[in-house]
Amino acid sequence: MVPQPVLAVMLLFPITKESEEADKKADAERPADTAVPEQLYYMKQTIGNACGTIAMLHSIANNRQRLELEPGSFLSRFFEATKAMNAAERGAYLERPPGDAPD
């Protein structure tokens, strides 16, 4: 049982050949136009071995109404800069931030 209160739970596990194959199969079977609900902040992981980082970003982004991010902080500027992007664009932004990205 997860102690309460809790805002997010992250499950991380090692990548194996079998898990990679299962992911590829699931991606191939998923309709290309699968929509992410607008109120959900989601980004595609494009950086290898960054699942914990992506999980943490998802957890913080989807709980901003309960968390108080410091105005002007990296995270508040990152989420503001990526709010209108789709999941793939957010992943690309994190991997290859433009020159005017928060640092």
Side-chain angles (χ1 to χ4, degrees), residues 57 60-61 64 67-82 93 100-103:
L57 288 170
I60 294 168
R64 283 178 284 170
L67 302 171
E68 293 182 24
L69 295 180
E70 186 71 30
S73 68
F74 172 83
L75 286 175
S76 65
R77 290 183 295 136
F78 177 83
F79 294 133
E80 180 64 26
T82 60
Y93 187 94
D100 61 342
D103 58 340

Side-chain angles (χ1 to χ4, degrees), residues 26-65:
D27 283 345
E29 293 173 355
R30 186 176 301 115
D33 62 347
T34 300
V36 175
E38 191 170 315
Q39 72 276 12
L40 181 68
Y41 186 95
Y42 175 74
M43 64 189 309
K44 182 82 172 149
Q45 179 180 337
T46 60
I47 302 170
N49 202 27
C51 54
T53 300
I54 302 301
M56 185 62 68
L57 288 170
H58 285 152
S59 298
I60 294 168
N62 289 307
N63 286 290
R64 283 178 284 170
Q65 72 281 6

